[in-house]
């Protein structure tokens, strides 16, 4: 049965390649004219990871450790199947895929061991009896024999796997000697191009059954010698003018020192000339190549115009998407680039920020306050420069037409906005005086043994924000006040404004030597890549659309995300509501800033008000304000001619639109909000105090208001000076998150030679656990006993 399935593509199999030069005359002519060293006609390699999406022709090299099992006998079938699936997916997208594979020796070793053991067992059973079977030993198997026995089975396995995706394969075996024969080189070039033209995946391997041992220092000038599959993959990638070479191994990528060492760091981007900074470790558990060979092959391919990524193809959690992730431009493995950026990488920025943040946290509260006040002064002193930069961003956004009117409004700065920012920053400066190091609890555990719980910074914050450049100084001030390091990733639509605001922030930080504590990520980092830096970032705070927040929550890998998924805010108009208050609150909640997350999206109206003057005035006001009304299901049932019925009661419009729905009671309103709301901000308008108190107590939202606009859900209006965002989460911080939300705690124990044994049954000491009152004064000030 298997042979029948494999026969479908058998006619396409090419043995040790010997295709005619005439198979592709145009390519043959080009190859015949090419003399060593080979020159690339298709241009330079990609400079940035994000450009890898454009890769058309891709070579995937599978190292021995990737395709073989841990015992080195047989293939890792599950791993190989996921790799085949990814290659087939990319092939079906219209890309041209080639595979350079190891594994013939391991597959052959498994088969030969099985045959030898079977043969020995038969012979020993005939001559010595069953009691001798346990003494059987397998002789040392010669690698070339294993390769000869395993190559056909390896290829049959590939064919069977690719057939499941309606993809045909062809086998090509080569040796180093073949590359020195110009006729054979032309044949190889022609054969591969013809296979790719026919949408067939070539599977290439060294002919290990006959290959001679590699000669040391056998590279010709400008040409890499085929010593292993790394050099073979590089040579073929350049020969075929491939856009990308993906070399999969059993390590995450290239490290600055052997990966087993504690201080070894994965290198995100490697540049020619950086070899001196690398210390190589031992070779892989299988195969004949090592990381040094991989780097040499990668740099040779890069010089030939092919981009290279070295990544882990054995990790069980990423194997199933490592190839597609690389092609999508995600930060996986080590990317080789000839273009070295002028500034530091984002990893280096995070390290700089962490170091600067620790120095910042060690400053006196007065010093952190001085930094914030100086930043507030700079916002007004450098107002013209800031507004000029903002005008450039506004003009560019208007000319491209990519931003909606609400986003354009968020992008815009004015003198009034800058003045308000400065006022808010000074509020933060005042509140920062007793933030870091404040004693929350002090306990006398035993005589001369005191325990304190004190406030400390969270660590390194990553704040990702869209459109709103005023977010940068606000968040920076809060981070400075709380002693946190800060990475900022703003939208490119505000690049000029963000740049000047960050420069002013660093100028303010410089007065106490902590300039590096706040970093602006200006490289071409994707948000998903930033969310993977779990060893460098302690908390992610998204500021922007609900879609942005959801995307970041989905992409975050082991890093907590503080944010709200949506801002579906409700205003409930009770039967005992005051008409004047209703009109003011509904207008402000919906119309003041409809793009804000605290704007009203659904208006709940008590059933008794439906045919009353109160309801008519609400509708008239919304029409005057040009608010588009959508009818909820119950509201629509009361009307003969109604507005368009709402598609979903969970919609966040972010514009001059809202839904109106009818409820029977205050409890009905609470149930509706619990079912369709987002736990952000919800309002009741009523003159009935008992009804209002029940609403405030029973409603489970981050902010619950009585006779006040939903727009009050804001850090500035709460007196926090500013906010890093509004959280609807249940853990750590909720509602507008200001300075307090950026602090955590640690425990400090002061003893006098105490040990745990002192409190055992045989010990001499007893626990007291007496709370010690905290005296007013400086943060952390100790009280006298």
């Amino acid at each position: 049965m298997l042979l029948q399935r494999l026969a479908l593509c058998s006619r396409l199999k090419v043995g040790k390649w010997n295709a005619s030069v005439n198979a592709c005359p145009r390519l043959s002519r080009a190859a015949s004219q090419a003399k060593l060293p080979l020159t690339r006609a298709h241009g330079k390699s990609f400079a940035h990871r994000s450009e890898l999406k454009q890769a058309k022709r891709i070579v995937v090299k599978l190292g021995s450790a990737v395709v073989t099992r841990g015992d080195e006998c047989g293939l890792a079938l599950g791993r190989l199947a996921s790799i085949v699936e990814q290659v087939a997916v990319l092939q079906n997208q219209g890309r041209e895929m080639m595979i350079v594979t190891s594994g013939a020796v391991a597959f052959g070793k498994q088969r030969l061991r099985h045959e030898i053991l079977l043969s020995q067992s038969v012979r020993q059973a005939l001559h010595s009896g069953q009691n001798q079977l346990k003494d059987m030993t397998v002789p040392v198997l010669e690698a070339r024999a294993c390769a000869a026995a395993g190559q056909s089975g390896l290829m049959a396995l590939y064919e069977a796997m690719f057939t499941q995706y309606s993809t045909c394969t062809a086998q090509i075996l080569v040796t180093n000697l073949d590359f020195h024969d110009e006729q054979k080189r032309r044949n190889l070039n022609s054969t591969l191009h013809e296979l790719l033209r026919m949408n067939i995946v070539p599977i290439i391997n060294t002919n290990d059954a006959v290959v001679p041992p590699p000669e040391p220092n056998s590279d010709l000038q400008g040409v890499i010698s085929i010593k292993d599959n790394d050099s073979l993959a590089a040579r073929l990638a350049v020969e075929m003018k491939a856009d990308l070479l993906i070399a999969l191994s059993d390590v995450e990528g290239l490290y600055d020192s052997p990966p087993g060492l504690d201080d070894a760091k994965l290198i995100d981007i490697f540049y020619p000339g950086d070899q001196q900074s690398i210390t190589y470790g031992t070779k892989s558990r299988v195969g004949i190549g090592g990381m040094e060979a991989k780097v040499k092959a990668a740099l040779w391919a890069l010089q030939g115009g092919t981009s290279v990524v070295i990544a882990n193809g054995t990790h069980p959690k990423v194997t199933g998407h490592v190839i597609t992730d690389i092609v999508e431009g995600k930060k996986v493995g080590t990317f080789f680039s000839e273009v070295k950026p002028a500034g530091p990488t984002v990893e280096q920025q995070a390290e700089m920020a962490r170091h600067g943040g620790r120095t910042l946290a060690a400053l006196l509260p007065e010093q952190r306050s001085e930094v914030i006040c100086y930043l507030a002064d700079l916002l007004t002193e450098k107002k013209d420069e800031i507004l000029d930069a903002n005008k450039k961003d506004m003009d560019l956004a208007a000319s491209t037409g990519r931003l909606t009117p609400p986003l354009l409004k968020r992008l815009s700065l004015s003198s009034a906005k800058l003045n308000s920012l400065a006022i808010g920053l000074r509020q933060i400066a005042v509140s920062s005086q007793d933030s870091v190091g404040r004693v929350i609890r002090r306990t006398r555990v035993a005589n001369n043994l005191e325990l304190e719980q004190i406030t400390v910074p969270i660590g390194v914050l990553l704040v990702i924000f869209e459109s709103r450049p005023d977010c940068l100084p606000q968040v920076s001030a809060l981070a400075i006040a709380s002693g946190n390091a800060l990475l900022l990733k703003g939208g490119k639509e505000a690049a000029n404004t963000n740049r000047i605001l960050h420069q002013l922030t660093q100028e303010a930080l410089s007065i106490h030597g902590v300039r590096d504590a706040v970093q602006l990520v200006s490289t071409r980092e994707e948000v998903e890549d930033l969310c993977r830096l779990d060893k460098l970032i302690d908390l992610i705070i998204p500021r922007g659309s609900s879609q942005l927040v959801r995307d970041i929550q989905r992409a975050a890998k082991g890093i907590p995300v503080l944010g709200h998924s949506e801002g579906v805010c409700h205003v409930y108009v009770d039967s005992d509501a005051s008409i004047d208050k209703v009109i003011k609150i509904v207008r402000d909640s919906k119309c003041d800033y409809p793009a804000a997350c605290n704007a009203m999206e659904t208006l709940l109206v008590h059933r008794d008000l439906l045919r009353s003057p109160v309801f008519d005035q609400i509708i008239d006001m919304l029409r005057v304000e040009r608010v588009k009304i959508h009818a909820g299901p119950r509201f629509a049932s009361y009307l003969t001619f109604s507005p368009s019925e709402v598609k979903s009661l969970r919609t966040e419009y972010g514009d001059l639109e809202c839904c109106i729905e009818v409820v029977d009671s205050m409890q009905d309103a609470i149930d509706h909000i619990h079912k369709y709301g987002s736990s952000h901000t919800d309002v009741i308008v009523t003159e009935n105090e008992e009804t209002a108190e029940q609403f405030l107590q029973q409603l489970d939202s981050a902010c619950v208001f009585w006779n006040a606009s939903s727009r009050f859900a804001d850090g500035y209006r709460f007196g926090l000076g500013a906010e890093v965002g509004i959280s609807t989460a249940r853990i750590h911080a909720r509602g507008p998150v200001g300075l307090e939300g950026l602090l955590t705690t640690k425990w400090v124990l002061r003893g006098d030679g105490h040990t745990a044994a002192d409190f055992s049954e045989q010990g001499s000491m007893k626990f007291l656990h007496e709370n010690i009152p905290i005296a007013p004064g400086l943060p952390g000030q100790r009280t006298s006993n």
Side-chain angles (χ1 to χ4, degrees):
M1 186 67 178
L2 177 62
L3 292 176
Q4 291 177 348
R5 292 169 62 191
L6 297 180
L8 293 173
C9 296
S10 61
R11 63 185 179 85
L12 298 171
K13 184 185 296 185
V14 183
K16 189 168 180 288
W17 51 268
N18 57 0
S20 170
V21 175
N22 298 325
C24 188
R26 180 177 59 83
L27 295 174
S28 301
R29 286 196 299 271
S32 65
Q33 294 170 0
K35 301 298 180 182
L36 301 178
L38 187 68
T39 57
R40 300 268 296 165
H42 74 290
K44 295 183 178 180
S45 59
F46 296 124
H48 305 283
R49 281 185 186 269
S50 58
E51 298 172 349
L52 296 181
K53 297 175 184 177
Q54 305 169 23
K56 171 71 173 176
R57 183 171 292 173
I58 301 171
V59 176
V60 178
K61 181 263 174 180
L62 306 178
S64 299
V66 175
V67 298
T68 60
R69 299 197 314 241
D71 60 4
E72 303 176 24
C73 292
L75 303 180
L77 296 181
R79 190 186 302 151
L80 202 57
S82 67
I83 289 171
V84 166
E85 180 180 14
Q86 294 171 81
V87 172
V89 166
L90 294 173
Q91 179 86 355
N92 291 332
Q93 290 176 357
R95 304 180 197 270
E96 297 173 339
M97 305 298 295
M98 292 179 280
I99 294 178
V100 175
T101 184
S102 304
V105 173
F107 201 5
K109 185 183 292 186
Q110 182 187 37
R111 294 181 64 182
L112 292 180
R113 277 188 172 184
H114 177 77
E115 293 297 327
I116 291 170
L117 288 173
L118 182 63
S119 175
Q120 286 182 347
S121 65
V122 172
R123 287 197 304 270
Q124 291 188 13
L126 291 174
H127 296 96
S128 304
Q130 293 292 335
N131 61 335
Q132 299 296 321
L133 292 180
K134 62 182 180 180
D135 297 327
M136 289 189 302
T137 57
V138 179
V140 176
L141 299 175
E142 203 272 330
R144 281 196 282 268
C146 291
Q151 184 63 42
S152 60
L154 176 65
M155 190 61 205
L157 181 64
Y158 273 118
E159 288 197 26
M161 287 182 172
F162 272 106
T163 300
Q164 306 305 311
Y165 302 97
S166 302
T167 301
C168 283
T169 58
Q171 176 182 242
I172 298 180
L173 298 176
V174 296
T175 68
N176 189 38
L177 299 177
D178 297 322
F179 284 90
H180 293 289
D181 186 298
E182 189 67 21
Q183 180 66 35
K184 292 181 178 180
R185 265 189 64 210
R186 290 198 296 268
N187 286 347
L188 171 63
N189 197 299
S190 176
T191 298
L192 287 172
H193 276 90
E194 184 64 14
L195 291 173
L196 294 176
R197 187 189 66 81
M198 297 169 65
N199 202 33
I200 296 170
V201 177
I203 298 178
I204 304 129
N205 196 0
T206 51
N207 193 351
D208 293 326
V210 299
V211 67
E215 299 179 13
N217 302 319
S218 58
D219 292 350
L220 300 176
Q221 183 177 5
V223 181
I224 193 167
S225 178
I226 308 302
K227 302 182 182 70
D228 48 42
N229 275 345
D230 294 309
S231 52
L232 171 61
R235 182 67 183 266
L236 282 169
V238 172
E239 195 79 43
M240 292 299 295
K241 299 179 173 59
D243 301 309
L244 173 62
L245 166 60
I246 300 174
L248 297 183
S249 179
D250 58 350
V251 292
E252 302 300 321
L254 179 60
Y255 287 78
D256 57 0
S257 56
L261 300 180
D262 290 339
D263 58 349
K265 294 181 180 179
L266 179 66
I267 299 173
D268 172 41
I269 305 178
F270 189 76
Y271 307 97
D274 285 354
Q275 297 95 309
Q276 302 302 320
S277 63
I278 304 300
T279 303
Y280 296 102
T282 57
K283 293 183 179 181
S284 167
R285 61 175 173 84
V286 288
I288 60 175
M291 185 55 72
E292 189 170 5
K294 290 176 176 57
V295 172
K296 182 177 180 181
L299 291 174
W300 189 86
L302 186 69
Q303 187 179 17
T306 297
S307 295
V308 183
V309 175
I310 295 177
N312 192 339
T314 64
H315 196 296
K317 291 185 178 180
V318 300
T319 302
H321 47 81
V322 60
I323 298 173
T324 51
D325 279 355
I326 290 170
V327 175
E328 288 173 9
K330 295 180 180 178
K331 187 172 285 190
V332 178
T334 300
F335 172 62
F336 286 71
S337 174
E338 292 187 299
V339 180
K340 196 163 187 175
T345 65
V346 69
E347 289 84 1
Q348 292 170 330
Q349 284 187 290
E351 291 281 3
M352 293 161 60
R354 186 177 291 281
H355 179 74
R358 286 171 176 158
T359 306
L360 175 68
L363 295 178
L364 295 174
E366 295 84 357
Q367 292 174 309
R368 289 192 295 271
S369 180
E370 287 175 13
V371 172
I372 299 169
C373 288
Y374 186 35
L375 177 57
D377 294 339
L378 289 173
L379 290 180
T380 53
E381 291 175 12
K382 305 289 185 178
K383 177 174 58 179
D384 292 340
E385 295 178 34
I386 298 170
L387 295 179
D388 285 346
N390 186 245
K391 186 177 184 304
K392 292 179 183 178
D393 290 327
M394 291 291 294
D395 291 344
L396 183 60
S399 63
T400 57
R402 290 180 301 178
L403 295 185
T404 61
L407 289 179
L408 274 173
K409 188 174 181 181
R410 289 184 181 183
L411 177 61
S412 175
L413 289 181
S414 63
S415 296
K417 267 192 178 181
L418 292 176
N419 290 334
S420 295
L421 272 174
I423 293 170
L425 263 57
R426 293 188 179 96
Q427 289 181 358
I428 296 172
V430 173
S431 62
S432 69
Q433 293 292 327
D434 61 347
S435 55
V436 180
R438 177 167 51 87
V439 178
I440 295 175
R441 179 184 306 167
R442 181 177 287 130
T443 304
R444 183 179 290 110
V445 178
N447 290 328
N448 297 319
L449 186 63
E450 287 186 8
L451 178 67
E452 290 180 344
Q453 184 184 17
I454 63 173
T455 58
V456 293
I458 290 174
V460 179
L461 313 176
L462 168 62
V463 177
I464 303 170
F465 56 101
E466 295 175 321
S467 298
R468 299 179 56 174
D470 54 328
C471 173
L472 194 153
Q474 286 180 337
V475 173
S476 297
L478 287 169
I480 294 166
S482 56
N484 284 289
L486 181 60
L487 282 178
L488 292 157
K489 173 65 173 174
K492 58 185 178 182
E493 68 278 355
N496 293 296
T497 316
N498 288 337
R499 190 178 303 112
I500 182 66
L501 290 173
H502 178 247
Q503 289 171 359
L504 298 179
T505 303
Q506 289 200 313
E507 182 179 340
L509 288 162
S510 298
I511 66 174
H512 287 297
V514 287
R515 178 185 180 88
D516 289 342
V518 177
Q519 299 283 331
L520 179 65
V521 179
S522 55
T523 56
R524 299 172 61 149
E525 298 292 335
E526 297 292 336
V527 169
E528 282 194 23
D529 294 331
L530 294 172
C531 292
R532 288 189 172 95
L533 302 178
D534 57 300
K535 292 181 175 62
L536 298 171
I537 295 168
D538 299 298
L539 179 66
I540 302 175
I541 305 173
R543 294 284 303 267
S545 66
S546 58
Q547 185 62 49
L548 171 72
V549 178
R550 283 195 297 269
D551 290 344
I552 291 172
Q553 289 172 330
R554 194 179 302 114
K557 304 297 182 182
I559 309 175
V561 178
L562 189 151
H564 59 88
S565 57
E566 291 173 310
V568 183
C569 302
H570 296 74
V571 173
Y572 165 56
V573 181
D574 187 53
S575 58
D576 295 325
S578 162
I579 181 59
D580 293 336
K581 293 178 183 178
V582 169
I583 298 301
K584 286 178 61 179
I585 291 170
V586 172
R587 178 189 285 117
D588 189 70
S589 296
K590 179 71 260 184
C591 308
D592 175 63
Y593 192 178
C597 63
N598 58 14
M600 181 194 78
E601 304 296 359
T602 299
L603 176 64
L604 299 177
V605 180
H606 193 284
R607 181 184 58 188
D608 294 347
L609 299 178
L610 258 190
R611 292 179 174 86
S612 70
V614 174
F615 184 75
D616 293 339
Q617 290 184 48
I618 294 172
I619 297 298
D620 289 342
M621 180 273 294
L622 292 175
R623 285 174 177 166
V624 169
E625 297 289 344
R626 298 184 178 180
V627 177
K628 183 178 180 181
I629 297 173
H630 302 275
R634 290 197 62 191
F635 180 42
S637 68
Y638 283 95
L639 304 174
T640 305
F641 300 101
S642 67
S644 60
E645 187 167 342
V646 69
K647 294 180 180 178
S648 170
L649 290 167
R650 293 188 176 93
T651 302
E652 181 180 18
Y653 298 100
D655 206 345
L656 286 174
E657 296 183 63
C658 75
C659 169
I660 297 180
E661 183 58 310
V662 176
V663 292
D664 293 332
S665 64
M666 179 271 296
Q667 189 60 51
D668 196 16
I670 290 176
D671 293 342
H672 178 102
I673 294 170
H674 283 163
K675 184 174 182 179
Y676 299 109
S678 59
S679 300
H680 190 294
T681 301
D682 298 290
V683 175
I684 182 172
V685 185
T686 184
E687 297 302 300
N688 188 315
E689 184 175 350
E690 182 180 350
T691 301
E693 289 299 333
Q694 290 180 19
F695 185 89
L696 298 177
Q697 291 173 18
Q698 295 180 33
L699 190 60
D700 188 18
S701 295
C703 299
V704 188
F705 300 160
W706 172 22
N707 286 349
S709 167
S710 62
R711 293 279 290 122
F712 273 102
D714 176 82
Y716 180 76
R717 294 182 175 93
F718 278 14
L720 304 178
E723 64 182 40
V724 294
I726 293 182
S727 172
T728 56
R730 308 283 167 168
I731 299 175
H732 175 59
R734 207 164 181 225
V737 180
L739 182 56
E740 293 293 327
L742 299 182
L743 295 171
T744 184
T745 63
K746 71 178 179 182
W747 296 90
V748 176
L749 187 64
R750 294 182 174 89
D752 188 20
H754 297 79
T755 67
D758 294 337
F759 300 90
S760 65
E761 290 184 6
Q762 295 78 25
S764 58
M765 300 193 71
K766 301 296 181 183
F767 286 114
L768 299 176
H769 291 148
E770 296 175 352
N771 288 330
I772 303 173
I774 300 171
L778 293 176
Q781 179 180 345
R782 292 177 55 79
T783 58
S784 58
N785 294 334

